[in-house]
Amino acid sequence: MNNRQGMADTQVTKRDGILSEYNPNKITEAIVKAMRMTEVGIDKELAEKITLKVTQQVEKSKNTYSVEQIQDLIEKDLMMSSRKDVAKEYITYRQKRTEERLKQSELFKIGEGIISGDNEEVTKENANLNGESYSGKMNRFGSEYSKMYARNVMLPKRLVKAIDEGYIHVHDLDHYAVGTHNCIFIPFDKLLADGFQVSDKGSVRTPNSIMTAMAQVAIIFQCQQNSQYGGCGASKFDWDLAPYVTKSFVKHFKKGQMYFGETFVTVDIEELNVDNTDLLKVFPKSYTYALEETRLETKQAAESMIHNLNTMASRAGGQVPFTSITFGLCTSTEGRMISEAILNASMNGLGHSETAIFPQLIFQCKQGVNQNLGEPNYDIFIKAIECSSKRLFPNFVNVDADFNLQYYDPTKPDTSIATMGCRTRVISNRFGEVYQSGRGNISFNSINLTKLGIENGVVNGRTEVDVNGFWSKLDEILDITLDGLLHRFDIQGNQPAKASDFMMQNGSWIDGEKLHPNQKIKDLLRMGSVSIGFVGLAECLKALFGKHHGEDQNVWYFGQELIGYIRDYCDKKSDEYDMNVTCFASPAESLAGKFVRMLQKQYGKIEGVTDREYLTNSFHIPVYYEIAAHKKIDLEAPFHKLTNAGHISYVELDGNARNNLEAFKNIVQYALSKNIGYFSINHPVDKCMSCYYDGVINKECPACGENSEEKISKIRRVTGYLTGNVNNFNSAKRAEERDRVRHT
Amino acid sequence: MNISGYIKESIVDGQGLRAVVFFSGCYHNCFGCHSPQTHDKNYGEEFTESKQQEIIEDIKSNPLLSGLTLSGGDCFFSAKEVIKFVIKLKNEIPDINIWVYTGFTIEQLMGKKDNKYKLLEMCDVLVDGKFEIGLRDTTIKFAGSRNQRILDVKESLECGKAILLSLDK
Ligand code: SF4
């Protein structure tokens, strides 16, 4: 092709609107490229002929052609030529390019949203991450790209389709591609006793006092957090830490002996413990001194641990670790000291006595241990009630619920049910012994039950429920959901131990330390659980029958049948794939809002189904529905038994709960008596930052009249964890909080 | 007799979870009263037989309740009719625990053996005294101003003087 004189004047408009010089060579190249893909192959002559034709047309025209228009001309000429095969390839090539551009622009838009902070759903996706901070934005960049990559490159196509249609949500999609797992209970007893390694930076020795032990707990939490995307917890914190209280006691006792000159006899180390009353008789001063110092040290240790856990950010984005501490059953003096210290420190709060967001506290309730007057830890239970009435936690986990009691062995603390703050739990284990620490949930996907309801219920013009249609669609969606989990598990399991270095190196995950850094973790990871979760049972039932499970007994039965069906499916698949597959009452963070927006686009606003800004969490009775507290408990209780991957029920209290511990305690114990597995009470925890008034604040502080929003802190609960300020919620969460009807 | 409201479950009207009936009518005219609309005897809805029965059934079926609170208004202004309701209630739930809020002081109510006295006798706890805005205190439990007292009615009647209730025992 000759590059003839005079052509330099011809220009084309590029996609970004900029004018550029017309270059016929590019046309020939593109056609040849398309020819190369065909069976017949390249016909250079034809390519040049078409180029000439296009060039003449472009030059003749008074208007400037756009790239797109030129491509149209090429396409047309190819179609008219003898080489239809080339035309076909050319069209495919164009489409592919268009798609790629689209993807790039999607990424571009995401980027814009992150930088400007305009896209609330992105910046506020996680209520505990400041999406408007520099590090928060960096974090979002990585995570949005990683989501896009997973979607377009890795996910099973069937799953992508189901996600796009709004049936399924894959949680923490940003961690899919790299294979991170969800959460873990850390065996603190083991890590503290053996010491631990922090990658290649150095190692930490077993602590010799409770102060150091609690400091190490914070470090372990922080290091561990980088090996996973979900929360990390302690399943039996009082038992784990008690030995270090003893160590402190020994230390103080020996010091006391020296100070007070009570060194006349040396005592065997085994004899040196708080409960040895002989010590008090023989060494009255040293014993009293040691006991007092130990108590004080434990208290200070707990305080500084809580400060640490609320201030040290791990992961990019300035996120503090999502930490949970389960405790309450250890009845030794040392164990009780730990429990008391944590509760006292939480009640005192942080610097200006603000409510500490972390660690989430979970109190284990057990008849015979802490539920009635006269039982050894009853006083701690009462303190837990008081703390919860002030700070929204502890939550209460029910060791006596039949589905938990079956695993309980009083001689093995790790068999008393514990949960993550967000409600995840692992206790049953098809691979043998029952234990919790050293494993956790691997990942979970949630099903949008409401959509299935709308498709088959008495809405959208249908007058009769299509029950068969409902079940068969559910079967299909369950299969796709599980497929996704197994596919993800494959990616997760094929990671080498070194990818989650701290976790495997130190055996936070059971037996991790036995793996070579390059060894795959699949067989160990299998000890955890994969879970099928669900959102919007209430709206599903409403769509199916016109009533939700709070409104009609038969609908309530159907709800149980439905969740029972999902549970059975999980049990069956556990056997089939030799995995712990469990049924989950999902915490629905931003999902409740996302699902409903999709449904509104698809079906419009259906009364009682899609007309709010969120779907109701898991199996809950809708937050806007007026119902007495005991009824809510009665109605939600049977669902706890079915959801073995985790669950929680709430009752909302209106008014200052800390002034009415009797009511608080009665409600908690009523819930426990109804076989509820995990329970908590929501109530307003407000604080005026001008005068530090604690209580319920509506529009203005009742003590000093402060009414500026920034000066009034409102702590609320989201997905089980607390969050610092209602203003950090995304719109769906704000709407849900606004609609919550107090049950009292 | 009218009531200006009924709450199935409350944590701010006495110890434990309590049902609350707000009776219409009050002539104390406390400055700063937070529900002046209830001063009118004709405010709200009529406290019909069926409404009374409904509330009694509600209380009976709620295992979480620690009792009932009579609030207002000030129910001592309608003592005669309130007594009838309380008798009906006690027939069905003999050991029900009753708190009552009033602008009178217990000394005023114990003064003579009239209907006010009779109503007082039927209750367990009395939160007494007018709301005094100058003594307003947002930190005290179950009361609005510092002059108000939470009294153990049985003890007070027995001793012939105001005896404070020990809370959260
Ligand atoms: S007694 Fe109560 S209702 Fe009556 S005026 Fe005083 S505060 Fe208001």
Side-chain angles (χ1 to χ4, degrees):
Chain A
M1 173 98 202
N2 298 321
N3 210 346
R4 293 173 308 155
Q5 278 291 316
M7 286 225 353
D9 293 326
T10 313
Q11 290 188 310
V12 287
T13 317
K14 292 208 306 190
R15 284 195 178 78
D16 52 12
I18 292 172
L19 287 177
S20 126
E21 199 178 303
Y22 175 73
N23 181 355
N25 291 336
K26 281 193 179 165
I27 295 177
T28 319
E29 269 166 35
I31 298 172
V32 169
K33 216 177 192 173
M35 286 171 161
R36 204 172 279 143
M37 305 298 290
T38 63
E39 260 175 47
V40 181
I42 297 170
D43 178 350
K44 191 99 197 257
E45 212 175 303
L46 178 68
E48 287 181 350
K49 211 174 104 195
I50 292 176
T51 308
L52 189 66
K53 208 170 156 207
V54 171
T55 306
Q56 281 168 348
Q57 200 162 344
V58 172
E59 285 184 335
K60 224 168 45 200
S61 164
K62 280 186 226 103
N63 302 326
T64 315
Y65 270 75
S66 70
V67 173
E68 215 57 45
Q69 284 169 317
I70 292 175
Q71 287 184 341
D72 285 345
L73 291 178
I74 301 171
E75 206 178 293
K76 204 178 84 210
D77 286 340
L78 277 172
M79 285 299 285
M80 311 255 280
S81 78
S82 56
R83 293 292 298 275
K84 305 271 183 299
D85 57 335
V86 182
K88 218 176 114 204
E89 286 302 330
Y90 186 76
I91 292 167
T92 322
Y93 169 77
R94 268 186 88 183
Q95 273 171 351
K96 235 164 118 188
R97 286 298 307 261
T98 314
E99 257 175 50
E100 272 165 33
R101 266 194 306 277
L102 198 77
K103 279 184 211 163
Q104 274 164 19
S105 73
E106 191 188 326
L107 196 58
F108 178 78
K109 267 187 257 156
I110 291 170
E112 293 274 277
I114 295 170
I115 294 168
S116 64
D118 287 345
N119 189 344
E120 236 196 31
E121 298 313 316
V122 172
T123 52
K124 294 189 178 174
E125 188 182 76
N126 177 335
N128 278 315
L129 184 129
N130 178 2
E132 281 159 86
S133 69
Y134 296 133
S135 51
K137 285 177 178 175
M138 282 300 289
N139 175 301
R140 301 289 0 142
F141 263 107
S143 115
E144 291 302 319
Y145 175 72
S146 153
K147 274 189 212 167
M148 222 175 83
Y149 181 86
R151 254 188 71 91
N152 292 318
V153 182
M154 307 191 92
L155 255 52
K157 290 286 163 276
R158 216 156 64 121
L159 180 59
V160 174
K161 191 162 168 271
I163 294 172
D164 290 346
E165 289 169 352
Y167 288 108
I168 299 173
H169 179 77
V170 173
H171 291 261
D172 301 281
L173 183 61
D174 46 347
H175 283 275
Y176 201 105
V178 290
T180 333
H181 94 282
N182 184 12
C183 60
I184 190 173
F185 287 109
I186 303 170
F188 279 104
D189 46 356
K190 172 175 152 191
L191 268 77
L192 291 174
D194 301 351
F196 55 91
Q197 289 269 319
V198 181
S199 60
D200 52 359
K201 310 288 185 306
S203 60
V204 177
R205 267 195 309 273
T206 183
N208 276 316
S209 68
I210 186 62
M211 187 55 104
T212 321
M214 292 248 198
Q216 288 189 12
V217 164
I219 296 168
I220 292 171
F221 267 135
Q222 189 183 24
C223 294
Q224 172 58 35
Q225 180 89 357
N226 289 312
S227 302
Q228 15 152 170
Y229 61 76
C232 27
S235 63
K236 46 178 173 38
F237 195 70
D238 40 358
W239 299 91
D240 288 343
L241 273 291
Y244 302 94
V245 177
T246 309
K247 281 190 174 187
S248 280
F249 177 80
V250 171
K251 193 181 69 185
H252 295 305
F253 185 82
K254 286 185 175 161
K255 214 197 264 170
Q257 278 185 302
M258 261 166 38
Y259 284 157
F260 302 112
E262 292 181 331
T263 47
F264 30 86
V265 212
T266 38
V267 197
D268 248 20
I269 186 82
E270 283 84 57
E271 305 285 309
L272 276 181
N273 60 69
V274 189
D275 288 331
N276 185 348
T277 42
D278 288 346
L279 291 180
L280 178 61
K281 281 181 216 141
V282 188
F283 313 94
K285 285 184 180 156
S286 310
Y287 177 88
T288 314
Y289 166 80
L291 186 64
E292 198 45 48
E293 285 295 301
T294 306
R295 228 180 260 290
L296 194 68
E297 189 188 335
T298 308
K299 174 176 172 254
Q300 287 166 344
E303 274 167 6
S304 78
M305 180 186 75
I306 287 175
H307 272 85
N308 279 334
L309 290 180
N310 285 283
T311 49
M312 50 176 211
S314 82
R315 286 187 193 152
Q319 231 191 127
V320 296
F322 277 56
T323 51
S324 311
I325 286 182
T326 303
F327 66 103
L329 294 188
C330 184
T331 53
S332 73
T333 308
E334 291 88 340
R336 287 168 44 81
M337 272 191 209
I338 302 276
S339 301
E340 272 168 22
I342 296 172
L343 287 169
N344 285 335
S346 294
M347 277 194 273
N348 291 338
L350 301 178
H352 294 296
S353 81
E354 311 96 296
T355 296
I357 306 297
F358 293 110
Q360 166 74 263
L361 301 183
I362 298 116
F363 190 85
Q364 292 167 309
C365 301
K366 176 82 198 70
Q367 293 287 337
V369 179
N370 56 26
Q371 285 301 293
N372 304 289
L373 200 64
E375 293 171 2
N377 278 4
Y378 183 67
D379 56 336
I380 299 182
F381 172 65
I382 294 300
K383 202 182 267 284
I385 292 282
E386 191 190 343
C387 184
S388 198
S389 81
K390 282 203 170 99
R391 302 297 188 187
L392 286 163
F393 57 59
N395 296 345
F396 300 88
V397 66
N398 189 0
V399 184
D400 291 310
D402 59 4
F403 47 88
N404 292 330
L405 198 61
Q406 59 175 329
Y407 302 112
Y408 175 69
D409 173 349
T411 64
K412 293 183 186 150
D414 213 16
T415 61
S416 332
I417 186 72
T419 96
M420 291 288 161
C422 78
R423 80 192 67 175
T424 322
R425 64 204 278 287
V426 276
I427 190 153
S428 63
N429 185 15
R430 62 181 294 106
F431 305 105
E433 239 190 294
V434 172
Y435 60 90
Q436 299 171 104
S437 49
R439 58 197 194 108
N441 176 263
I442 309 166
S443 55
F444 65 101
N445 291 343
S446 293
I447 298 178
N448 181 351
L449 290 180
T450 307
K451 184 167 169 71
L452 301 184
I454 295 174
E455 283 179 353
N456 299 286
V458 291
V459 283
N460 271 2
R462 211 177 297 99
T463 47
E464 247 180 82
V465 193
D466 180 0
V467 180
N468 292 336
F470 179 82
W471 290 119
S472 74
K473 190 71 192 180
L474 178 63
D475 278 334
E476 183 194 327
I477 297 300
L478 280 169
D479 283 342
I480 301 175
T481 310
L482 181 69
D483 260 9
L485 290 170
L486 297 174
H487 175 264
R488 188 174 193 167
F489 178 69
D490 210 48
I491 300 172
Q492 293 163 321
N494 278 315
Q495 300 305 316
K498 64 185 175 193
S500 46
D501 52 0
F502 181 88
M503 174 164 87
M504 290 304 173
Q505 194 175 17
N506 296 297
S508 306
W509 193 279
I510 187 144
D511 291 339
E513 72 278 16
K514 295 179 187 155
L515 290 185
H516 182 275
N518 288 329
Q519 231 175 325
K520 296 193 169 150
I521 62 172
K522 197 169 216 161
D523 287 334
L524 295 188
L525 206 59
R526 207 179 265 281
M527 300 296 135
S529 63
V530 297
S531 310
I532 297 179
F534 58 91
V535 177
L537 174 65
E539 287 79 8
C540 166
L541 296 171
K542 190 97 183 169
L544 280 176
F545 306 110
K547 282 174 181 165
H548 60 66
H549 52 322
E551 296 172 311
D552 184 292
Q553 196 173 31
N554 286 326
V555 173
W556 178 59
Y557 287 134
F558 185 88
Q560 291 174 59
E561 193 186 334
L562 166 53
I563 304 307
Y565 187 85
I566 299 177
R567 168 64 186 274
D568 286 345
Y569 178 88
C570 292
D571 289 350
K572 261 199 322 249
K573 295 295 167 180
S574 295
D575 291 340
E576 197 175 319
Y577 292 97
D578 198 21
M579 302 262 299
N580 293 308
V581 182
T582 49
C583 171
F584 196 22
S586 301
E589 187 83 307
S590 53
L591 180 57
K594 189 183 141 187
F595 269 160
V596 90
R597 280 193 301 278
M598 289 177 95
L599 293 175
Q600 282 171 357
K601 245 185 234 153
Q602 293 164 345
Y603 307 102
K605 287 197 179 184
I606 306 172
E607 199 192 324
V609 181
T610 59
D611 57 350
R612 292 175 198 268
E613 289 153 71
Y614 54 88
L615 296 180
T616 298
N617 245 275
S618 66
F619 53 68
H620 291 169
I621 304 290
V623 290
Y624 52 80
Y625 182 66
E626 284 203 41
I627 184 169
H630 70 100
K631 277 217 182 103
K632 185 170 196 287
I633 291 169
D634 292 350
L635 291 177
E636 290 183 3
F639 292 97
H640 281 240
K641 192 172 176 138
L642 299 171
T643 43
N644 56 341
H647 41 236
I648 189 162
S649 279
Y650 298 115
V651 154
E652 308 281 331
L653 285 188
D654 198 4
N656 196 342
R658 65 202 79 177
N659 282 345
N660 202 333
L661 298 186
E662 179 180 318
F664 207 97
K665 185 184 123 213
N666 287 349
I667 297 171
V668 169
Q669 289 196 316
Y670 180 77
L672 297 173
S673 77
K674 291 290 157 176
N675 220 34
I676 288 247
Y678 188 38
F679 182 75
S680 199
I681 297 181
N682 286 325
H683 51 92
V685 171
D686 304 336
K687 189 176 185 68
C688 169
M689 298 317 282
S690 286
C691 70
Y692 299 127
Y693 166 81
D694 261 310
V696 182
I697 303 177
N698 292 322
K699 287 210 171 58
E700 59 179 47
C701 170
C704 76
E706 177 66 65
N707 59 9
S708 127
E709 242 181 57
E710 280 91 68
K711 283 286 169 76
I712 292 168
S713 131
K714 288 178 177 281
I715 305 275
R716 296 294 184 270
R717 194 191 313 272
V718 178
T719 70
Y721 291 102
L722 302 190
T723 181
N725 208 319
V726 191
N727 302 330
N728 286 344
F729 287 15
N730 66 34
S731 50
K733 273 177 286 192
R734 271 202 302 269
E736 200 233 58
E737 156 65 21
R738 188 192 57 222
D739 287 356
R740 285 183 190 175
V741 180
R742 315 299 174 193
H743 302 113
T744 65
Chain B
M1 175 177 47
N2 278 15
I3 59 169
S4 41
Y6 162 60
I7 301 179
K8 287 169 190 275
E9 296 175 326
S10 162
I11 59 162
V12 296
D13 298 280
Q15 193 156 270
L17 196 60
R18 313 187 71 83
V20 193
V21 179
F22 298 88
F23 290 89
S24 299
C26 178
Y27 306 106
H28 292 298
N29 263 321
C30 306
F31 182 71
C33 165
H34 80 347
S35 48
Q37 72 281 1
T38 65
H39 296 180
D40 179 355
K41 259 194 141 144
N42 298 315
Y43 178 79
E45 57 169 312
E46 205 194 322
F47 200 32
T48 57
E49 286 291 322
S50 70
K51 184 76 195 173
Q52 297 186 20
Q53 203 49 46
E54 181 196 320
I55 288 175
I56 292 171
E57 289 306 321
D58 243 18
I59 297 172
K60 255 209 277 193
S61 67
N62 191 339
L64 282 174
L65 291 185
S66 296
L68 170 71
T69 297
L70 311 175
S71 186
D74 189 333
C75 65
F76 282 96
F77 288 115
S78 335
K80 201 172 145 197
E81 290 145 295
V82 177
I83 288 170
K84 280 191 210 147
F85 167 65
V86 176
I87 290 174
K88 208 182 305 166
L89 176 75
K90 289 207 166 188
N91 274 336
E92 301 213 25
I93 317 170
D95 54 354
I96 184 152
N97 173 286
I98 299 177
W99 278 46
V100 57
Y101 280 77
T102 182
F104 295 106
T105 60
I106 195 165
E107 288 80 6
Q108 288 171 322
L109 296 174
M110 290 195 300
K112 48 177 187 305
K113 307 238 157 161
D114 55 3
N115 279 330
K116 291 195 182 65
Y117 185 89
K118 252 191 234 156
L119 178 56
L120 178 66
E121 263 189 318
M122 300 173 98
C123 300
D124 300 278
V125 177
L126 182 80
V127 185
D128 81 340
K130 288 175 70 164
F131 172 67
E132 304 260 4
I133 199 153
L135 299 174
R136 192 178 82 123
D137 187 341
T138 51
T139 64
I140 38 175
K141 287 183 187 183
F142 311 131
S145 57
R146 278 193 298 275
N147 60 302
Q148 296 174 324
R149 301 169 296 181
I150 301 174
L151 303 168
D152 185 325
V153 174
K154 301 265 145 25
E155 290 280 316
S156 302
L157 291 179
E158 231 161 73
C159 305
K161 61 171 191 204
I163 304 284
L164 294 178
L165 178 80
S166 58
L167 280 170
D168 271 334
K169 12 169 205 210

